[in-house]
Amino acid sequence: TVLYSLEKLISVGLIEKKKCITEKKNKKKKPQFYDENLNIELEYEDLKKNSGEDREFKNIEDMQHVRIQCEQIAESSKYIAELKKESIEVQKYIDDIQNIENCPENLRKKITDIAEKTEKLEKKCYDIHSREQNLSRERTAMFVRYENEFPKALVNLQNDEKYFQAVKHDMRMLEAEKISLKEDMKMYQDRTGKVKNGAVIFLFVILVIFVLFFVSGQLNNAGGRNLFFAVLFCSMLLVAIIFLVQRNSLYQFRLCDKKMARAVTLLNKTKIKYVNIAGSVDYQYEKYGVKNSYQLSREYEAFLNDKKNSEKYRESLKESDESRALLRKTLEKINLSNADLWENQYMMLADEEELLKTKNRMESRYEKLKEQIKYNLERIDKSKKYILEFVKKHPDKSDVIMEMVDSYEL
C-alpha cells in the first residue's frame, strides 16, 4: 500500500525518484499557491489554532489543502499549455522576420517595392472609400433605376420648364390684352352714346335758331340772310364732324370686338397648352422626386461623381488585390511559416525599421512567455513536493490522495 502509492505517484509525475534525500531537503516547507490573493496559509493557521485537539477537523483541512494543490497543478498545467502554444506562434513570427532579413538582397528589395506599392494602393482605396457620398441611398437608387433615361430626361425637363414659362407668359399677356380690349370697347361704347346725345341737343338748338330766324324776319334783309347761311354752314360742318366721330367710334368698337374674339380664342388654346405642359412638368417632378430641373441637375452631377468614385474604388481595389497576390507569390519563395499572414503585413515589409521594432517586440514577448512558463512550472513543482511530503507523513491516506490525483487526471 505505501510502496504501491509511492510507485503510483512516481508514475504520474507527482514525485521524482532519487537515490537519497537528505533531512534538510525532506524538511517540510510552508505551502505556496498559484493565486497569491487566496490566503490559504493564513486561513489554515487560524483553523489550526482554533481547532485545538480536534483531529477529525484537522484531517479534513489537510485533505482540502491537498485538493487545492491538485487544482493548482491542473490550472497551471492548462496555463502552461496555452503559453507554450502562444510561444510557438511567437517564435514562428520571429523566425519569419529573420528569414525575411536574411533573404537575398534582390529578393528583399523586390518585396519592399511590392509592399510599398501595396501600401499606396490600400491607402488610395481607403481614401476613396472614406469619402462621404454626395447623395443618400434613396436618391442614388432613383438615379440607378432611371439611369438609361439620363441625361436626356434632364434636358427634356429643362426644355419643358422653359416652354411652361413661355406659355405662362403668353397666357398672362393674353389675359392683359383681353382686359384692355374690354376697357376700349366700353370706352368706344360710351363715346358713341355721348355723341348721339350731343347730336340730338345740337339739332334741337339748330332748329330753335332757324325758328328764331324765320320769326324775327331776319331773312328779309341781306345781313340776316348772310348770318343765316353762315349758321347753316356751321351747322352742316358740325353735323359732318359728329357723323365722322360716330362712325369712327362704331368702327373702333367693332374692331375691338373682333380683337376680343381672337384674343379669347388664343387664350383658350394657350390655357390648354398650359394645362398639358404643367401636368407634364409636375409628373416629371414627382417621378424624379425634385422641385425643379436645377435640383435634378445638381443631384445628377453628384450621382456621376459618386459613380466615378465607385469605379475608381473598384479599379484601385483590383490593383491592390493584384499587388497583394504578387506579394504573396514573392513571399512564397522564402521559407515562411504563414505566407497568408505576411501578405497583410505590407506596411511592415515596406519599412525595415518597423520590421526591426516588431522583431524586438516579439523577442521581448517571447522572453516574457518563457518566464511565465518557468514560474508556473515552479508552482507545479512546489505543489507536487507538498503532496509528496503529505503522503510520507500520512501513509494511511495515500489511497485517498491517489483517488484525488486521478480525479484531476494529473
Side-chain angles (χ1 to χ4, degrees), residues 276-290:
N276 290 334
I277 192 63
S280 175
V281 170
D282 288 340
Y283 171 76
Q284 292 180 75
Y285 286 165
E286 184 177 356
K287 178 180 179 180
Y288 301 121
V290 294

Side-chain angles (χ1 to χ4, degrees), residues 118-209:
T118 304
E119 183 180 2
K120 291 179 181 178
L121 290 172
E122 286 291 328
K123 186 178 183 301
K124 183 179 178 182
C125 289
Y126 175 79
D127 291 340
I128 296 174
H129 188 65
S130 60
R131 290 175 186 171
E132 185 177 355
Q133 285 192 332
N134 298 312
L135 289 179
S136 62
R137 290 184 178 180
E138 292 77 10
R139 301 303 297 160
T140 301
M142 186 281 295
F143 280 105
V144 171
R145 184 164 62 252
Y146 300 114
E147 187 173 4
N148 295 331
E149 299 180 8
F150 283 88
K152 186 177 179 180
L154 176 60
V155 175
N156 290 339
L157 180 58
Q158 290 174 340
N159 292 334
D160 287 348
E161 282 184 337
K162 291 178 181 178
Y163 184 65
F164 171 77
Q165 293 298 329
V167 171
K168 190 176 180 181
H169 178 265
D170 291 344
M171 190 170 65
R172 288 177 177 175
M173 293 296 293
L174 289 171
E175 287 283 358
E177 185 178 357
K178 181 180 175 182
I179 294 172
S180 177
L181 288 172
K182 281 184 178 181
E183 292 177 353
D184 290 344
M185 288 177 68
K186 188 176 182 302
M187 180 186 69
Y188 289 124
Q189 190 175 12
D190 293 342
R191 181 188 293 179
T192 302
K194 290 178 181 179
V195 170
K196 284 182 179 180
N197 295 333
V200 171
I201 295 171
F202 176 71
L203 288 175
F204 178 76
V205 172
I206 292 298
L207 288 175
V208 171
I209 293 174

